[in-house]
């Protein structure tokens, strides 16, 4: 009996290894001329596609992507949500795990997809180039493994983007030079197409469906600066995964996704045959900020319906509908019986309380700065405005023991001053912050719990916070100031959702927990694009494990240099 069991285990192991493949792609990053609205615009794109190529792999595969930088700008590619277990050199954030790929140069990303299934994505991680350099990364189960939901008739990536009728590099440069907020976008897009509601737009994404069939929509928010409400007229949706982690099925008629997040939903084509708009517009939580108040649409058309019929339009939530957004975000739970769902660690080794929000730097006399009071906008975590190195990446400095002069390991576990964080009148006194490249050192395999506390300095806003290298459990989230004595008893320790990007409620907080089992340097930052150069970030230095198989390997020979 024991011998039979051993043979079965060996057979299963060999079968698992045999099912893994090496998937190769080539990315040529270069200038590309497009005309989505009224005028031609030169953008940076991959393989002359907008969005770029969809990458499809299975869990266990090895992905190899040769990136040729034919653009006039530095570039890196981040594989958003991939754990990069012992392959931190391939994570991609510029000056964190690598120096940028210079114009005319090449770099090969190679990593294994381990223990992940679902929808992720890839995007540029240098400046604002991810406005046009992005695409879907779809991880299917191994060939012998089913989905934990009914197999869909078809799977359709839905990439929500943001479009400027301008060079986005100029948009960012002008904002950084003035110290003010960047110009708002001119349109939103579905799979690179603005849709017919915009002037001059001739491109609308169309999806044909067969009555009675079930479709898996893999929704990705690739926008730079806007969370988005998404609806399909007349149709209900069932959420089955978020950030490539399965969820307990959650029925809804509206989805809200923050920049960086993904949401998988099932749609049953059960309505009278006709044409229906799918539509997205922004969820706006900052009360003082101007925003792009337009709507992008695609068309869901039944094969048996007339193509000339006017599509039915959904009623989207109001731009400022925080209750609807919070209901969606806070009602998702993890599918505890699914593959890959790990028990929640109960013992906590490191507790951190991280405040984050905006601040101001006073400009020199005579300067014309764009923030209130002739100042420049900044952002910070625990009053530290993160500064990126320029002569060596954080990961290489850590690996080579060259931290001196590159970073320090003294990021604070708590804010320097405790105050009424979400009271705008009180918070107004805390606009100043210090600049630094301060990391938090974590022991290998430590369990880390972080309270992410929004502040009302300048304004409150729902911030999407993304952690590289890990998924985390979302134990709780709410509004106002976090009160452990009141809230800890409400923590979901049974089936919390897993995420790599959490939309921390406007004027509120979220509690996350993860196990630091991945050696390397991993950045945690706001995924609203302008907030990263303003300093809304920090990074964790995770120490090596006790064995070579739990330690960071040397960098690849072709790693770019600064």
């Amino acid at each position: 009996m024991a011998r039979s069991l051993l043979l079965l285990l060996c057979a299963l192991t060999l079968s698992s290894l045999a099912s893994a493949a090496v998937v190769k792609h080539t990315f040529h990053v270069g200038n590309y001329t497009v005309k989505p609205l009224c005028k031609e615009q030169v953008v940076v794109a991959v393989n002359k596609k907008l969005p770029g190529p969809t990458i499809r792999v299975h869990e266990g595969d090895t992905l190899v992507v040769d990136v040729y930088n034919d653009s006039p700008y530095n570039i890196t590619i981040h594989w958003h949500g991939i754990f990069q277990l012992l392959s931190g050199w391939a994570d991609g954030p510029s000056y964190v795990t690598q120096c940028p790929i210079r114009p005319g140069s090449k770099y090969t990303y190679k990593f294994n997809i381990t223990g992940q299934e679902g929808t992720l994505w890839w995007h540029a991680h240098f400046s604002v180039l991810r406005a046009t350099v992005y695409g879907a990364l779809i991880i299917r189960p191994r060939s012998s493994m089913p989905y934990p939901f009914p197999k869909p008739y078809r799977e359709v990536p839905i990439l929500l983007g943001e479009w400027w009728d301008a060079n986005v590099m100029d948009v960012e440069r002008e904002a950084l030079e003035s110290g003010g907020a960047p110009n708002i976008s001119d349109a939103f897009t579905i799979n690179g197409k603005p849709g017919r509601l915009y002037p001059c737009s001739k491109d609308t994404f169309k999806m044909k469906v067969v009555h009675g069939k079930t479709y898996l929509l893999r929704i990705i928010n690739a926008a730079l600066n806007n969370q988005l409400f998404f609806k399909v007229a007349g149709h209900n949706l069932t959420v089955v995964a978020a950030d490539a982690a399965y969820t307990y099925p959650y029925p809804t008629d509206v989805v809200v996704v923050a920049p960086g997040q993904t949401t998988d939903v099932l749609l049953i084509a059960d309505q009278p045959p006709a044409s229906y708009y799918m539509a997205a517009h922004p969820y706006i939580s900052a009360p003082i900020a101007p925003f792009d108040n337009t709507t992008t649409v695609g068309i869901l058309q039944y094969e048996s319906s007339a193509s000339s019929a006017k599509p039915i339009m959904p009623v989207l939530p109001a731009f400022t509908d925080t209750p609807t957004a919070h209901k969606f975000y806070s009602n998702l739970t993890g599918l505890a019986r699914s593959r890959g769902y790990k028990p929640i660690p109960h013992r906590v080794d490191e507790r951190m309380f991280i405040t984050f929000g905006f601040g101001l730097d006073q400009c020199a006399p005579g300067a014309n700065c764009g923030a209130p009071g002739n100042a420049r906008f900044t952002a910070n975590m625990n009053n530290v405005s993160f500064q990126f190195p320029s002569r060596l990446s954080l990961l290489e400095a850590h690996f080579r023991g060259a931290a001196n002069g590159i970073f320090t390991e003294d990021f604070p576990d708590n804010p320097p001053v405790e105050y009424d964080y979400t009271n705008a009148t009180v918070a107004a006194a805390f606009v100043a912050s210090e600049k630094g490249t301060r990391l938090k050192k974590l022991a290998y395999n430590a369990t880390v719990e972080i309270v992410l506390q929004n502040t009302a300095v300048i304004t409150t806003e729902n911030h999407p916070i993304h952690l590289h290298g890990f998924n985390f459990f979302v134990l709780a989230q709410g509004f106002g100031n976090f009160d452990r004595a009141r809230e800890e008893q409400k923590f979901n320790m049974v089936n919390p959702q897993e995420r790599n990007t959490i939309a921390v409620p406007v004027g509120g907080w979220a509690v996350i927990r993860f196990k630091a089992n991945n050696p390397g340097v991993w950045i945690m930052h706001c995924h609203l694009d302008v907030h990263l150069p303003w300093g809304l970030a920090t990074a964790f230095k995770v120490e090596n494990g006790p064995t070579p198989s739990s330690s960071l390997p040397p960098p690849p020979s072709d790693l770019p240099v600064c």
Side-chain angles (χ1 to χ4, degrees), residues 127-128 167-179 376:
S127 188
V128 289
N167 184 323
V168 290
M169 297 292 280
D170 290 340
V171 172
E172 183 190 52
R173 177 183 52 79
E174 291 165 3
L176 294 178
E177 286 179 355
S178 73
R376 304 176 63 86

Side-chain angles (χ1 to χ4, degrees), residues 242-543:
D243 289 359
Y246 294 118
T247 64
Y248 191 84
Y250 177 68
T252 182
D253 68 338
V254 61
V255 169
V256 58
V257 277
Q261 290 185 330
T262 70
T263 305
D264 291 357
V265 301
L266 295 177
L267 177 148
I268 301 175
D270 58 359
Q271 296 303 298
S275 291
Y276 299 83
Y277 276 131
M278 58 178 72
H281 79 195
Y283 160 51
I284 300 298
S285 58
I288 65 172
F291 65 95
D292 179 352
N293 63 357
T294 62
T295 301
T296 180
V297 295
I299 297 174
L300 183 147
Q301 182 185 336
Y302 283 74
E303 286 191 346
S304 55
S305 66
S307 59
S308 59
K310 184 178 179 181
I312 300 167
M313 187 72 181
V315 178
L316 288 162
F319 296 118
T320 56
D321 191 348
T322 289
T324 292
H326 184 66
K327 177 184 176 183
F328 180 87
Y329 284 137
S330 61
N331 273 274
L332 298 182
T333 53
L335 189 61
R337 67 176 186 272
S338 63
R339 286 184 304 275
Y341 193 89
K342 299 175 179 62
I344 304 146
H346 284 256
R347 191 195 76 184
V348 176
D349 302 300
E350 296 273 2
R351 278 195 167 90
M352 303 179 71
F353 188 100
I354 300 180
T355 58
F356 61 91
F358 301 118
L360 295 174
D361 274 351
Q362 289 304 310
C363 289
N368 185 20
C369 289
N374 194 36
R376 304 176 63 86
F377 280 122
T378 63
N380 64 79
M381 288 186 166
N382 277 356
N383 210 48
V384 179
S385 186
F386 192 82
Q387 302 295 292
F388 287 89
S390 59
R391 56 188 177 90
L392 198 66
S393 75
L394 296 175
L395 184 59
E396 191 166 3
H398 160 56
F399 183 83
R400 302 197 185 284
N404 188 30
I406 303 296
F407 64 83
T408 59
E409 298 176 8
D410 58 349
F411 181 82
D413 289 343
N414 296 281
V417 178
E418 184 178 338
Y419 62 96
D420 188 354
Y421 305 113
T422 55
N423 183 321
T425 302
V426 174
F430 296 91
V431 296
S433 60
E434 62 177 79
K435 293 177 168 47
T437 310
R438 301 171 65 181
L439 277 57
K440 168 69 176 179
K441 185 169 104 172
L442 297 173
Y444 176 77
N445 229 25
T447 295
V448 186
E449 182 181 287
I450 304 175
V451 177
L452 295 166
Q453 174 68 62
N454 220 317
T455 71
V457 180
I458 309 301
T459 186
T460 55
E461 188 171 12
N462 185 305
H463 289 270
I465 303 297
H466 172 47
L467 175 61
H468 290 228
F470 305 92
N471 273 4
F472 48 76
F473 292 106
V474 182
L475 302 186
Q477 51 191 307
F479 297 97
N481 296 323
F482 176 75
D483 182 330
R484 182 171 291 275
R486 183 180 66 234
E487 304 296 347
E488 193 167 33
Q489 60 186 337
K490 302 176 187 176
F491 285 7
N492 182 350
M493 301 299 293
V494 178
N495 60 347
Q497 60 179 295
E498 283 188 84
R499 285 280 193 182
N500 62 58
T501 306
I502 171 73
V504 181
V506 54
W509 51 269
V511 182
I512 65 173
R513 189 179 292 185
F514 68 97
K515 186 169 281 291
N517 56 3
N518 194 4
V521 176
W522 308 101
I523 190 170
M524 182 174 74
H525 64 94
C526 182
H527 221 273
L528 299 178
D529 207 80
V530 72
H531 298 171
L532 187 54
W534 284 354
L536 213 164
T538 189
F540 299 98
K541 191 187 92 167
V542 180
E543 297 288 89

